[in-house]
Amino acid sequence: MSAQTLSGKELAGDIRRRAREQGRDLEQDSIRPVLAVVIATDDGSTHWYVRSIERAAESAGIGCRVIDLGHDATEQDLAGVLRDLATESSVHGIILQTPLPAGVRTDALVGLIPPEKDIDGANPLSLGRLAVGQPAFAPATARSVVEILEHHRIPVAGRRAVVVGRSAVVGKPLALLLLERDAAVTVCHSRSGPLENHTAGADIVVVAAGRTGLLNGSHVSSSSVVIDVGTNVLADGSLAGDVDADSVRGVAAALSPVPGGVGSVTTALLLLHTVEAARRQSSGMPRDQQQGTPTHSVLHRRRP
Ligand code: NAP
């Protein structure tokens, strides 16, 4: 038996198409959605990732402004740029790309991204809104997991879902999105004990720990749907997830690949969020109503 492959490629294409179409609608009102990416590192894989966002934005007709402050930027430098972008009306979405230089407080900086431009859900205000079910931009990676499940028609309501990882950018917001979709959610972390105690009876297992091979076939069952969020760069430069794919594929019902799964959808969602932010900011609606999309799927309507 081999698990079904839950590819993200077709879905990513659908989302990019939607972003392009919505962007064209805005052009009729002379508005061009613009995403600003602030970066302060020499890390090659981060630069590669930002270039992939730039390319995707360009092909979707979305402006992408990369502000590279270099690896020796100070917190003050970064804060200054973020404050400027926050008030610049031609910029609709802002990403502060990690890693940041040593000593720079990420928490202090993400709070400078106004929620209506926080298209990757980094500001704690966005996470708070998500927690209470108010419209907010969820972190794109967390959202891409629920979009992949929905795209492949994997039922979530009433199912037991285990999220491995509790970061503010992936694990926690994902747990909230799954909860919003009526799953029974368990969140695991480095101190929650043997993984199999939690994952063995789960219908859906999402692994977002940044540990190559953390989940293997012995942790799952024949009915498990497994989503691999991990992106680990191996010594030979190749990309691996957190799942031992060969082992899990032989046991589980379905598995998302790395690459070609969550990552491709994440980039597309950043673009769609930027277009939605531009639409809301140009609509004249009050600021507190511009803060992102409802917590249901961006492509499908969950409730009438
Ligand atoms: P992170 O901030 O380092 O958080 C990792 C989480 O995993 C922590 O909550 C940690 O627990 C938990 N963990 C670590 N080892 C564990 C173990 N042995 N058993 C159970 N839990 C364990 O990482 P992140 O930013 O959330 O990212 C997670 C992964 O997703 C990384 O591989 C990252 O590259 C990837 N990612 C992918 C995308 C994409 O678009 N595809 C985007 C963002 C991130 P504690 O809290 O107890 O330390």
Side-chain angles (χ1 to χ4, degrees):
M1 180 194 130
S2 186
Q4 177 195 351
T5 299
L6 302 178
S7 170
K9 287 185 180 167
E10 188 189 38
L11 172 61
D14 288 351
I15 296 173
R16 279 198 300 270
R17 202 169 309 119
R18 162 121 5 156
R20 211 167 20 245
E21 282 166 13
Q22 289 187 5
R24 266 192 221 118
D25 290 347
L26 285 172
E27 264 171 31
Q28 289 171 5
D29 297 324
S30 303
I31 295 154
R32 186 177 192 231
V34 172
L35 169 64
V37 184
V38 181
I39 181 169
T41 180
D42 287 340
D43 176 53
S45 58
T46 307
H47 279 268
W48 181 89
Y49 176 62
V50 170
R51 271 197 302 277
S52 72
I53 295 176
E54 265 185 300
R55 277 197 302 272
E58 195 183 329
S59 69
I62 292 165
C64 184
R65 200 191 297 175
V66 177
I67 298 132
D68 184 354
L69 297 179
H71 69 278
D72 52 0
T74 64
E75 191 171 310
Q76 221 175 1
D77 298 333
L78 284 152
V81 166
L82 289 172
R83 284 201 183 92
D84 287 347
L85 292 171
T87 55
E88 206 174 310
S89 59
S90 62
V91 170
H92 306 98
I94 302 171
I95 297 174
L96 175 63
Q97 188 61 47
T98 55
L100 293 172
V104 168
R105 294 170 306 155
T106 310
D107 292 358
L109 292 174
V110 290
L112 297 174
I113 303 174
E116 67 272 18
K117 296 189 181 187
D118 186 25
I119 55 99
D120 201 17
N123 188 326
L125 287 176
S126 300
L127 189 60
R129 291 179 68 94
L130 212 58
V132 293
Q134 290 179 7
F137 288 115
T141 302
R143 174 157 256 153
S144 77
V145 172
V146 294
E147 296 292 344
I148 284 179
L149 291 170
E150 191 148 347
H151 178 77
H152 290 281
R153 304 194 184 285
I154 310 283
V156 173
R159 300 298 170 108
R160 287 164 298 180
V162 170
V163 178
V164 184
R166 58 175 166 181
S167 73
V169 288
V170 189
K172 280 183 186 142
L174 174 59
L176 293 170
L177 290 175
L178 290 167
L179 203 55
E180 168 71 13
R181 285 159 178 74
D182 302 323
V185 184
T186 300
V187 180
C188 296
H189 44 81
S190 63
R191 308 191 66 179
S192 53
L195 262 191
E196 57 271 24
N197 289 358
H198 306 284
T199 56
D203 302 299
I204 297 167
V205 180
V206 188
V207 197
R211 302 277 184 278
T212 314
L214 179 64
L215 192 92
N216 63 48
S218 73
H219 296 116
V220 296
S221 74
S222 59
S223 59
S224 307
V225 171
V226 181
I227 307 286
D228 192 352
V229 178
T231 49
N232 306 296
V233 181
L234 304 182
D236 65 0
S238 63
L239 199 64
D242 287 352
V243 171
D244 178 345
D246 287 341
S247 151
V248 165
R249 218 178 275 124
V251 178
L255 169 67
S256 72
V258 176
V262 171
S264 44
V265 178
T266 298
T267 311
L269 280 173
L270 290 173
L271 304 182
L272 187 62
H273 284 183
T274 301
V275 176
E276 288 183 355
R279 187 168 52 77
R280 284 165 179 264
Q281 286 162 44
S282 58
S283 67
M285 63 172 61
R287 272 187 78 208
D288 66 341
Q289 290 171 31
Q290 294 175 13
Q291 300 174 10
T293 54
T295 54
H296 56 62
S297 164
V298 290
L299 291 179
H300 309 274
R301 290 286 171 262
R302 189 173 71 97
R303 290 184 176 124

